[in-house]
Amino acid sequence: MTVFLWGVLPYVAFVLLVAGLVRRYRHDRFGWTARSSQVHESKLLNIASPAFHYGILLVLVGHLVGLFVPMSWTDAFGVSGHTHHLLSLYGGSAAGILTVAGIALLIHRRRTSAPVFHTTTANDKVMYVVLLAAIVLGMAAKLAHASGDGYHYRESVAPWTRSLLTLQPDTELMAGVPVLYQIHAVIGLALIAFVPYSRLVHMFSAPVRYLFRPYIVYRSRDPERLRP
Amino acid sequence: MRPMAQLAMVMNLDKCIGCHTCSVTCKQAWTDRQGTEHVWFNNVETRPGQGYPRRYEDQEQWQGGWALNRRGALKLKAGGRFRKLAGIFSDPRLPETEDYDEPWTYDEPWAYGCKSLAGAPAHGGGPDPMIERTRRLAADRVRFEFEQTFMFYLPRICEHCLNPSCVASCPSGAMYKRAEDGIVLVDQDRCRGWRMCVTGCPYKKVYFNHRTGKAEKCTLCSPRLEAGLPTVCSETCVGRLRYLGVVLYDADRVTAAASVPDEHELYAAQLGVFLDPEDPGVRRACAAAGIPYDWVEAARRSPVHALISRYKVALPLHPEYRTMPMVWYIPPLSPVVEALTETGHDGEDAHNLFGAIDTLRIPLEYLAELFTAGDVAPVRASLEKLAAMRSHMRAVNLGEQPDPSVARAVGMRDAEIEEMYRLLAIARYEDRYVIPAAAVSDARRLEESALPDGCGLDHGCSLDYEGGPGMGGDGPSGQDSGGRTHLPLVSVENFHALRHRPTAAEEEET
């Protein structure tokens, strides 16, 4: 079980993510969108959506820093374990609260605004359940182990994550991790796998190139259109 | 000089009877799908009025188009690149369904508009923003009596601007101006539904399909134009008031022209961007730039070029948005004639008309707000030419000797006035639409279908492939508008039959 959860599942999730993205890009670029419902309801969205998105981006940065920056690096910069814990506790909680408040308002909006609710597909509902579960369990795991220096995930979860990158998963590291963290990790993996098969795929179209391209885009007629 | 070709349109507002045939045929051809209930690529507005969506001209609210920054350079009114990306998670300037008027049907589950039928009053919105502006500007000079002003209709499609702010607003780079003919299009495969184009367009002619989550807009019926056919709205126009043709312009001069500080100069600046197809230097430059010979020839015969640059009777809609729009309008003279006739004067007498144009300041200033950013002179000049034409042609029809001073007063020769009359009043099909096909050699193949080969049956066309906006069926992105289905293509109109039809009646008459 340990091997399956922490040695196989991560790679399955990653393969599903990449395969899904490739399939989506090759066969369903037309469906690649966040399918905004702003034309139906704008007032709540204007508050909730930026709150959620900025929150979840901060959460993402927190995860990347926490999981992929080894302790030896932070020690070299003179950041003690306790400082790191407080930073991740307060910073993470602030980002988490922003995210939870945002998504709560978004779900409320989705349920109470009739046209928005009508455009909600089954896929969206599953997505909301997985996303919300991942966020709430992450918050719960963090807050349940908040006292003192907190849970030392940087000595277990983080090295395990990095061991995935070297294709030599050290599954034993995850065996003793508190169960809340374990569930959060599994649901997180499920979320990663689900991204390309849901509207979440829009996270991969961050339009960074907009900053560098000329304002007016000219394009020639597709020669396919006139080919006999 | 970087010459480019642009397919442009002129509408003669004197002839519009507000029948909405253009809107209905356009909707049937392009947006008769779920998700596009509110999408009118073509709409007809009563002016003065609120427009569609309501009060779309109030750019302080909607932030469409361009503005000049402190250094006098163009910037998007709704904010530049960084502001766009920072605010990408919601677009507070996006019109909502109620700004477009809620769609409703009798038993569709989506149509929450049903509820609003049960007693909710129609949305107010407020007065026409242009009326407001005219009132504010002219409060101390002109007594503005709303009841005594006039009414006319304004059909609107996408302006296919030379400096399109929708294209500039698109973070994904999905919107583009087609290099060959200047048509502004949305690449449905690249659009990610950020909605910035809807805000960016001051004419609110990009729409968000709530079903597919993609932007859609008027394509100037590009599949028809490629085959040499006029757009659906032009073809079906009962008043025959639309003109289609090629205009040549210098792409290098566009930004400078759009950045002219004085709004009143924008009309003249845009005229300065256009190239004269009779000029041998321009023709050489066009050939060097790869513009096909038949396109340059079409530009010489272009009714749009004639009405805009030669006769200067057509004016752009809201040049103050600085997008360099390419659907121009001949302002309506009829209300002036009407008002004059009602007072017991001869409404078509040149001297009465010239005087009336000037004294009826209210319509003139309102028209100027629409077409010249408030500068009355070009509107007056245009109306005077139309008045001179009426007066001159009445004399001709009554067998009288036309007064040569009438034509001279508006800076035209008799022959020119009669040419303009033929273009505006006779308005033969061949004169109204001078459209070079995309590739002459392909004309025969294209004539069988408005869409290229391979569409619908297997793949290749962005409208109707897996997940494309066909009709019916479920897809990953919703139903109908985003459905996956394969429609058999049936050729409803044959190119040659169509060419023959509008001229057949005239031949019989003569």
Side-chain angles (χ1 to χ4, degrees):
Chain A
M1 191 62 183
T2 308
V3 173
F4 172 74
L5 281 182
W6 315 119
V8 178
L9 200 59
Y11 293 108
V12 172
F14 184 72
V15 167
L16 281 172
L17 172 72
V18 173
L21 286 176
V22 169
R23 188 203 71 94
R24 197 85 188 250
Y25 187 78
R26 289 177 61 171
H27 299 294
D28 185 30
R29 253 178 282 181
F30 178 69
W32 195 309
T33 158
R35 240 174 54 249
S36 164
S37 56
Q38 189 169 11
V39 280
H40 300 313
E41 200 287 330
S42 197
K43 283 183 192 71
L44 285 176
L45 187 93
N46 278 328
I47 302 163
S49 175
F52 168 74
H53 280 95
Y54 278 113
I56 199 98
L57 283 177
L58 286 173
V59 168
L60 176 72
V61 170
H63 277 72
L64 291 179
V65 171
L67 294 178
F68 292 102
V69 178
M71 280 179 84
S72 54
W73 294 16
T74 48
D75 287 347
F77 278 103
V79 181
S80 75
H82 187 66
T83 317
H84 191 277
H85 168 66
L86 289 182
L87 199 71
S88 97
L89 179 64
Y90 290 117
S93 299
I97 288 167
L98 195 62
T99 313
V100 169
I103 199 168
L105 197 53
L106 284 174
I107 292 172
H108 166 76
R109 163 183 179 273
R110 196 156 278 278
R111 192 62 196 85
T112 51
S113 167
V116 178
F117 188 56
H118 258 302
T119 57
T120 309
T121 62
N123 183 301
D124 294 344
K125 287 172 188 166
V126 175
M127 184 277 292
Y128 267 107
V129 169
V130 178
L131 182 63
L132 195 64
I135 293 170
V136 168
L137 280 162
M139 286 283 281
K142 187 79 198 169
L143 296 178
H145 302 275
S147 56
D149 274 359
Y151 173 66
H152 288 284
Y153 70 92
R154 293 209 295 160
E155 287 159 11
S156 53
V157 184
W160 166 74
T161 314
R162 293 196 292 274
S163 75
L164 290 172
L165 297 181
T166 55
L167 299 180
Q168 287 161 336
D170 191 350
T171 55
E172 288 310 312
L173 280 170
M174 287 299 283
V177 168
V179 78
L180 272 176
Y181 276 99
Q182 288 189 343
I183 302 175
H184 172 63
V186 170
I187 292 182
L189 289 172
L191 187 65
I192 289 172
F194 192 46
V195 163
Y197 309 96
S198 70
R199 64 198 301 176
L200 293 179
V201 70
H202 73 272
M203 72 170 67
F204 285 98
S205 38
V208 182
R209 269 197 292 180
Y210 182 53
L211 294 174
F212 308 105
R213 70 145 221 255
Y215 265 138
I216 308 296
V217 178
Y218 292 95
R219 216 201 286 180
S220 283
R221 193 194 288 119
D222 182 1
E224 287 288 313
R225 288 184 67 81
L226 297 177
R227 213 176 54 183
Chain B
M1 178 160 53
R2 188 158 58 97
M4 291 186 87
Q6 167 84 37
L7 278 166
M9 189 185 280
V10 167
M11 299 192 215
N12 184 0
L13 294 183
D14 247 345
K15 290 186 176 181
C16 186
I17 58 170
C19 68
H20 295 265
T21 306
C22 45
S23 303
V24 172
T25 51
C26 171
K27 192 146 186 66
Q28 286 183 332
W30 293 108
T31 56
D32 192 10
R33 292 168 275 137
Q34 281 190 42
T36 57
E37 294 90 345
H38 64 298
V39 179
W40 293 89
F41 290 165
N42 184 106
N43 73 297
V44 183
E45 302 168 357
T46 306
R47 307 314 307 243
Q50 304 205 1
Y52 183 81
R54 286 191 180 81
R55 290 173 59 84
Y56 71 93
E57 290 157 303
D58 185 355
Q59 300 311 336
E60 296 314 306
Q61 180 186 357
W62 302 113
Q63 304 280 306
W66 303 87
L68 295 181
N69 65 14
R70 254 168 284 155
R71 282 172 287 116
L74 280 179
K75 62 159 182 132
L76 286 171
K77 205 171 164 74
R81 301 168 199 269
F82 286 101
R83 223 173 120 188
K84 281 241 148 53
L85 291 197
I88 201 156
F89 301 127
S90 78
D91 180 359
R93 308 290 179 192
L94 190 77
E96 284 182 79
T97 318
E98 70 177 41
D99 296 307
Y100 289 109
D101 215 341
E102 297 174 19
W104 58 273
T105 55
Y106 292 102
D107 53 9
E108 288 289 326
W110 183 82
Y112 61 103
C114 286
K115 271 192 211 155
S116 75
L117 281 181
H123 300 288
D128 176 344
M130 291 303 118
I131 289 281
E132 249 180 8
R133 206 168 117 102
T134 317
R135 242 181 208 166
R136 202 168 56 235
L137 294 178
D140 51 340
R141 287 187 292 126
V142 185
R143 193 165 147 258
F144 195 99
E145 290 189 45
F146 191 81
E147 299 77 15
Q148 286 180 17
T149 189
F150 61 102
M151 187 178 86
F152 65 97
Y153 303 102
L154 183 73
R156 291 200 304 124
I157 63 169
C158 164
E159 296 280 344
H160 297 278
C161 305
L162 301 183
N163 187 32
S165 51
C166 57
V167 173
S169 303
C170 175
S172 309
M175 293 193 77
Y176 61 98
K177 193 165 174 64
R178 211 154 69 160
E180 289 87 353
D181 47 21
I183 298 176
V184 176
L185 295 169
V186 185
D187 184 336
Q188 293 288 308
D189 277 357
R190 286 206 201 176
C191 174
R192 296 286 172 260
W194 300 121
R195 316 180 291 293
M196 297 297 176
C197 52
V198 183
T199 302
C201 174
Y203 302 94
K204 288 291 167 280
K205 276 295 171 188
V206 190
Y207 297 88
F208 185 71
N209 180 330
H210 59 80
R211 201 76 159 187
T212 62
K214 305 262 167 165
E216 292 190 30
K217 66 178 286 301
C218 158
T219 62
L220 206 63
C221 289
S222 58
R224 289 176 63 95
L225 290 178
E226 282 163 10
L229 298 173
T231 65
V232 169
C233 55
S234 307
E235 177 78 75
T236 59
C237 177
V238 176
R240 302 178 171 196
L241 58 91
R242 297 187 187 225
Y243 297 80
L244 279 163
V246 177
V247 172
L248 300 174
Y249 70 100
D250 184 356
D252 282 342
R253 278 189 244 158
V254 170
T255 307
S259 322
V260 169
D262 182 2
E263 287 184 350
H264 287 186
E265 299 293 321
L266 281 164
Y267 162 61
Q270 190 167 359
L271 280 181
V273 170
F274 300 138
L275 298 172
D276 181 4
E278 303 294 341
D279 181 346
V282 168
R283 294 167 66 81
R284 269 196 303 278
C286 287
I291 298 175
Y293 177 75
D294 58 329
W295 278 67
V296 181
E297 284 307 300
R300 291 176 84 171
R301 293 188 294 121
S302 165
V304 173
H305 171 71
L307 294 169
I308 289 177
S309 296
R310 201 179 318 148
Y311 306 131
K312 294 196 171 63
V313 284
L315 302 167
L317 181 64
H318 290 303
E320 72 270 25
Y321 299 158
R322 299 179 184 275
T323 60
M324 303 270 121
M326 284 312 296
V327 174
W328 288 37
Y329 293 89
I330 300 173
L333 181 69
S334 297
V336 184
V337 180
E338 206 101 301
L340 209 54
T341 312
E342 272 169 22
T343 57
H345 289 88
D346 179 353
E348 293 194 319
D349 182 87
H351 301 290
N352 284 348
L353 255 182
F354 284 176
I357 289 170
D358 231 11
T359 49
L360 284 178
R361 296 176 59 103
I362 299 162
L364 208 55
E365 290 185 354
Y366 181 77
L367 291 174
E369 283 297 337
L370 285 185
F371 299 121
T372 50
D375 183 10
V376 177
V379 182
R380 185 195 295 128
S382 170
L383 290 178
E384 279 178 355
K385 280 176 187 162
L386 298 177
M389 183 181 82
R390 276 199 199 210
S391 169
H392 177 94
M393 289 316 296
R394 187 177 71 156
V396 169
N397 288 337
L398 294 179
E400 294 167 2
Q401 188 63 38
D403 183 355
S405 69
V406 171
R408 267 207 306 281
V410 295
M412 293 177 87
R413 286 175 289 112
D414 282 7
E416 271 183 323
I417 282 207
E418 280 164 33
E419 258 174 58
M420 187 166 88
Y421 161 78
R422 274 193 292 280
L423 190 54
L424 289 180
I426 307 291
R428 288 165 56 88
Y429 191 83
E430 297 87 349
D431 298 335
R432 271 180 289 145
Y433 312 128
V434 181
I435 304 158
V440 177
S441 55
D442 276 325
R444 267 218 67 82
R445 185 187 61 77
L446 285 164
E447 79 191 23
E448 274 310 310
S449 127
L451 294 167
D453 287 350
C455 275
L457 293 177
D458 37 278
H459 56 82
C461 132
S462 63
L463 266 182
D464 199 10
Y465 64 107
E466 196 182 348
M471 304 263 289
D474 285 299
S477 33
Q479 291 122 28
D480 310 301
S481 245
R484 53 180 79 198
T485 174
H486 302 308
L487 290 174
L489 266 182
V490 183
S491 161
V492 205
E493 290 174 322
N494 174 282
F495 180 57
H496 288 291
L498 207 65
R499 293 277 296 188
H500 186 62
R501 197 179 65 211
T503 49
E506 285 172 23
E507 279 160 17
E508 276 164 32
E509 280 165 19
T510 47

PDB file of all heavy atoms in Angstrom, chain A residues 187-204:
ATOM      1  N   ILE A 187      -5.271  13.436  -2.329  1.00  0.00           N
ATOM      2  CA  ILE A 187      -6.268  14.236  -3.052  1.00  0.00           C
ATOM      3  C   ILE A 187      -5.577  15.249  -3.953  1.00  0.00           C
ATOM      4  O   ILE A 187      -6.021  15.520  -5.075  1.00  0.00           O
ATOM      5  CB  ILE A 187      -7.231  14.926  -2.059  1.00  0.00           C
ATOM      6  CG1 ILE A 187      -8.073  13.843  -1.384  1.00  0.00           C
ATOM      7  CG2 ILE A 187      -8.133  15.916  -2.765  1.00  0.00           C
ATOM      8  CD1 ILE A 187      -9.084  14.365  -0.418  1.00  0.00           C
ATOM      9  N   GLY A 188      -4.460  15.761  -3.475  1.00  0.00           N
ATOM     10  CA  GLY A 188      -3.683  16.673  -4.317  1.00  0.00           C
ATOM     11  C   GLY A 188      -3.249  15.999  -5.605  1.00  0.00           C
ATOM     12  O   GLY A 188      -3.326  16.585  -6.695  1.00  0.00           O
ATOM     13  N   LEU A 189      -2.802  14.744  -5.476  1.00  0.00           N
ATOM     14  CA  LEU A 189      -2.388  14.007  -6.675  1.00  0.00           C
ATOM     15  C   LEU A 189      -3.583  13.795  -7.617  1.00  0.00           C
ATOM     16  O   LEU A 189      -3.465  13.929  -8.842  1.00  0.00           O
ATOM     17  CB  LEU A 189      -1.780  12.660  -6.282  1.00  0.00           C
ATOM     18  CG  LEU A 189      -0.394  12.741  -5.608  1.00  0.00           C
ATOM     19  CD1 LEU A 189       0.023  11.382  -5.091  1.00  0.00           C
ATOM     20  CD2 LEU A 189       0.645  13.293  -6.560  1.00  0.00           C
ATOM     21  N   ALA A 190      -4.736  13.481  -7.009  1.00  0.00           N
ATOM     22  CA  ALA A 190      -5.943  13.304  -7.832  1.00  0.00           C
ATOM     23  C   ALA A 190      -6.269  14.596  -8.573  1.00  0.00           C
ATOM     24  O   ALA A 190      -6.628  14.594  -9.758  1.00  0.00           O
ATOM     25  CB  ALA A 190      -7.111  12.883  -6.944  1.00  0.00           C
ATOM     26  N   LEU A 191      -6.099  15.719  -7.885  1.00  0.00           N
ATOM     27  CA  LEU A 191      -6.390  17.015  -8.497  1.00  0.00           C
ATOM     28  C   LEU A 191      -5.459  17.268  -9.684  1.00  0.00           C
ATOM     29  O   LEU A 191      -5.894  17.711 -10.754  1.00  0.00           O
ATOM     30  CB  LEU A 191      -6.238  18.119  -7.452  1.00  0.00           C
ATOM     31  CG  LEU A 191      -6.660  19.524  -7.884  1.00  0.00           C
ATOM     32  CD1 LEU A 191      -8.148  19.556  -8.144  1.00  0.00           C
ATOM     33  CD2 LEU A 191      -6.289  20.549  -6.828  1.00  0.00           C
ATOM     34  N   ILE A 192      -4.175  16.947  -9.480  1.00  0.00           N
ATOM     35  CA  ILE A 192      -3.207  17.138 -10.566  1.00  0.00           C
ATOM     36  C   ILE A 192      -3.613  16.299 -11.776  1.00  0.00           C
ATOM     37  O   ILE A 192      -3.580  16.764 -12.921  1.00  0.00           O
ATOM     38  CB  ILE A 192      -1.796  16.760 -10.083  1.00  0.00           C
ATOM     39  CG1 ILE A 192      -1.302  17.822  -9.094  1.00  0.00           C
ATOM     40  CG2 ILE A 192      -0.832  16.617 -11.257  1.00  0.00           C
ATOM     41  CD1 ILE A 192      -0.005  17.461  -8.405  1.00  0.00           C
ATOM     42  N   ALA A 193      -4.028  15.075 -11.513  1.00  0.00           N
ATOM     43  CA  ALA A 193      -4.412  14.193 -12.618  1.00  0.00           C
ATOM     44  C   ALA A 193      -5.671  14.697 -13.313  1.00  0.00           C
ATOM     45  O   ALA A 193      -5.874  14.483 -14.509  1.00  0.00           O
ATOM     46  CB  ALA A 193      -4.626  12.777 -12.099  1.00  0.00           C
ATOM     47  N   PHE A 194      -6.517  15.390 -12.564  1.00  0.00           N
ATOM     48  CA  PHE A 194      -7.826  15.786 -13.094  1.00  0.00           C
ATOM     49  C   PHE A 194      -7.752  17.074 -13.916  1.00  0.00           C
ATOM     50  O   PHE A 194      -8.650  17.358 -14.715  1.00  0.00           O
ATOM     51  CB  PHE A 194      -8.784  15.946 -11.904  1.00  0.00           C
ATOM     52  CG  PHE A 194     -10.226  16.068 -12.298  1.00  0.00           C
ATOM     53  CD1 PHE A 194     -10.782  15.195 -13.242  1.00  0.00           C
ATOM     54  CD2 PHE A 194     -11.037  17.033 -11.732  1.00  0.00           C
ATOM     55  CE1 PHE A 194     -12.106  15.308 -13.600  1.00  0.00           C
ATOM     56  CE2 PHE A 194     -12.365  17.147 -12.095  1.00  0.00           C
ATOM     57  CZ  PHE A 194     -12.896  16.281 -13.024  1.00  0.00           C
ATOM     58  N   VAL A 195      -6.704  17.837 -13.732  1.00  0.00           N
ATOM     59  CA  VAL A 195      -6.619  19.169 -14.346  1.00  0.00           C
ATOM     60  C   VAL A 195      -6.926  19.167 -15.850  1.00  0.00           C
ATOM     61  O   VAL A 195      -7.797  19.906 -16.300  1.00  0.00           O
ATOM     62  CB  VAL A 195      -5.247  19.818 -14.064  1.00  0.00           C
ATOM     63  CG1 VAL A 195      -4.976  20.969 -15.011  1.00  0.00           C
ATOM     64  CG2 VAL A 195      -5.193  20.308 -12.630  1.00  0.00           C
ATOM     65  N   PRO A 196      -6.255  18.329 -16.651  1.00  0.00           N
ATOM     66  CA  PRO A 196      -6.486  18.450 -18.103  1.00  0.00           C
ATOM     67  C   PRO A 196      -7.855  17.952 -18.549  1.00  0.00           C
ATOM     68  O   PRO A 196      -8.251  18.202 -19.679  1.00  0.00           O
ATOM     69  CB  PRO A 196      -5.369  17.606 -18.712  1.00  0.00           C
ATOM     70  CG  PRO A 196      -4.973  16.671 -17.656  1.00  0.00           C
ATOM     71  CD  PRO A 196      -5.209  17.342 -16.341  1.00  0.00           C
ATOM     72  N   TYR A 197      -8.570  17.274 -17.670  1.00  0.00           N
ATOM     73  CA  TYR A 197      -9.881  16.745 -18.052  1.00  0.00           C
ATOM     74  C   TYR A 197     -11.013  17.625 -17.539  1.00  0.00           C
ATOM     75  O   TYR A 197     -12.180  17.246 -17.611  1.00  0.00           O
ATOM     76  CB  TYR A 197     -10.034  15.310 -17.526  1.00  0.00           C
ATOM     77  CG  TYR A 197      -8.863  14.447 -17.917  1.00  0.00           C
ATOM     78  CD1 TYR A 197      -7.801  14.246 -17.043  1.00  0.00           C
ATOM     79  CD2 TYR A 197      -8.780  13.902 -19.192  1.00  0.00           C
ATOM     80  CE1 TYR A 197      -6.705  13.491 -17.408  1.00  0.00           C
ATOM     81  CE2 TYR A 197      -7.680  13.151 -19.577  1.00  0.00           C
ATOM     82  CZ  TYR A 197      -6.647  12.954 -18.683  1.00  0.00           C
ATOM     83  OH  TYR A 197      -5.550  12.229 -19.065  1.00  0.00           O
ATOM     84  N   SER A 198     -10.670  18.768 -17.009  1.00  0.00           N
ATOM     85  CA  SER A 198     -11.697  19.660 -16.475  1.00  0.00           C
ATOM     86  C   SER A 198     -11.392  21.080 -16.928  1.00  0.00           C
ATOM     87  O   SER A 198     -10.445  21.316 -17.664  1.00  0.00           O
ATOM     88  CB  SER A 198     -11.695  19.598 -14.946  1.00  0.00           C
ATOM     89  OG  SER A 198     -10.509  20.211 -14.468  1.00  0.00           O
ATOM     90  N   ARG A 199     -12.213  22.025 -16.454  1.00  0.00           N
ATOM     91  CA  ARG A 199     -11.980  23.417 -16.843  1.00  0.00           C
ATOM     92  C   ARG A 199     -10.712  23.976 -16.204  1.00  0.00           C
ATOM     93  O   ARG A 199     -10.247  25.039 -16.589  1.00  0.00           O
ATOM     94  CB  ARG A 199     -13.195  24.252 -16.452  1.00  0.00           C
ATOM     95  CG  ARG A 199     -13.406  24.307 -14.965  1.00  0.00           C
ATOM     96  CD  ARG A 199     -14.796  24.749 -14.602  1.00  0.00           C
ATOM     97  NE  ARG A 199     -15.105  26.066 -15.147  1.00  0.00           N
ATOM     98  CZ  ARG A 199     -16.288  26.644 -15.028  1.00  0.00           C
ATOM     99  NH1 ARG A 199     -17.262  25.979 -14.418  1.00  0.00           N
ATOM    100  NH2 ARG A 199     -16.526  27.819 -15.527  1.00  0.00           N
ATOM    101  N   LEU A 200     -10.168  23.237 -15.237  1.00  0.00           N
ATOM    102  CA  LEU A 200      -8.931  23.698 -14.607  1.00  0.00           C
ATOM    103  C   LEU A 200      -7.792  23.824 -15.609  1.00  0.00           C
ATOM    104  O   LEU A 200      -6.772  24.450 -15.327  1.00  0.00           O
ATOM    105  CB  LEU A 200      -8.514  22.731 -13.494  1.00  0.00           C
ATOM    106  CG  LEU A 200      -9.421  22.650 -12.281  1.00  0.00           C
ATOM    107  CD1 LEU A 200      -8.875  21.639 -11.290  1.00  0.00           C
ATOM    108  CD2 LEU A 200      -9.536  23.997 -11.606  1.00  0.00           C
ATOM    109  N   VAL A 201      -7.969  23.220 -16.776  1.00  0.00           N
ATOM    110  CA  VAL A 201      -6.916  23.240 -17.787  1.00  0.00           C
ATOM    111  C   VAL A 201      -6.507  24.670 -18.130  1.00  0.00           C
ATOM    112  O   VAL A 201      -5.402  24.910 -18.613  1.00  0.00           O
ATOM    113  CB  VAL A 201      -7.403  22.481 -19.050  1.00  0.00           C
ATOM    114  CG1 VAL A 201      -8.492  23.257 -19.765  1.00  0.00           C
ATOM    115  CG2 VAL A 201      -6.252  22.188 -19.985  1.00  0.00           C
ATOM    116  N   HIS A 202      -7.387  25.637 -17.826  1.00  0.00           N
ATOM    117  CA  HIS A 202      -7.045  27.016 -18.195  1.00  0.00           C
ATOM    118  C   HIS A 202      -5.815  27.519 -17.450  1.00  0.00           C
ATOM    119  O   HIS A 202      -5.242  28.529 -17.830  1.00  0.00           O
ATOM    120  CB  HIS A 202      -8.239  27.945 -17.980  1.00  0.00           C
ATOM    121  CG  HIS A 202      -8.551  28.241 -16.541  1.00  0.00           C
ATOM    122  ND1 HIS A 202      -9.368  27.466 -15.771  1.00  0.00           N
ATOM    123  CD2 HIS A 202      -8.148  29.247 -15.732  1.00  0.00           C
ATOM    124  CE1 HIS A 202      -9.463  27.979 -14.559  1.00  0.00           C
ATOM    125  NE2 HIS A 202      -8.725  29.054 -14.498  1.00  0.00           N
ATOM    126  N   MET A 203      -5.397  26.806 -16.379  1.00  0.00           N
ATOM    127  CA  MET A 203      -4.208  27.271 -15.661  1.00  0.00           C
ATOM    128  C   MET A 203      -2.959  27.176 -16.541  1.00  0.00           C
ATOM    129  O   MET A 203      -1.974  27.841 -16.287  1.00  0.00           O
ATOM    130  CB  MET A 203      -4.032  26.477 -14.363  1.00  0.00           C
ATOM    131  CG  MET A 203      -3.573  25.048 -14.564  1.00  0.00           C
ATOM    132  SD  MET A 203      -3.107  24.253 -13.020  1.00  0.00           S
ATOM    133  CE  MET A 203      -4.666  24.138 -12.154  1.00  0.00           C
ATOM    134  N   PHE A 204      -3.038  26.360 -17.573  1.00  0.00           N
ATOM    135  CA  PHE A 204      -1.874  26.204 -18.441  1.00  0.00           C
ATOM    136  C   PHE A 204      -1.870  27.201 -19.602  1.00  0.00           C
ATOM    137  O   PHE A 204      -1.071  27.072 -20.516  1.00  0.00           O
ATOM    138  CB  PHE A 204      -1.775  24.776 -18.978  1.00  0.00           C
ATOM    139  CG  PHE A 204      -1.297  23.816 -17.934  1.00  0.00           C
ATOM    140  CD1 PHE A 204      -2.194  23.041 -17.214  1.00  0.00           C
ATOM    141  CD2 PHE A 204       0.055  23.720 -17.644  1.00  0.00           C
ATOM    142  CE1 PHE A 204      -1.751  22.177 -16.233  1.00  0.00           C
ATOM    143  CE2 PHE A 204       0.500  22.850 -16.666  1.00  0.00           C
ATOM    144  CZ  PHE A 204      -0.398  22.075 -15.946  1.00  0.00           C
TER     145      PHE A 204
END
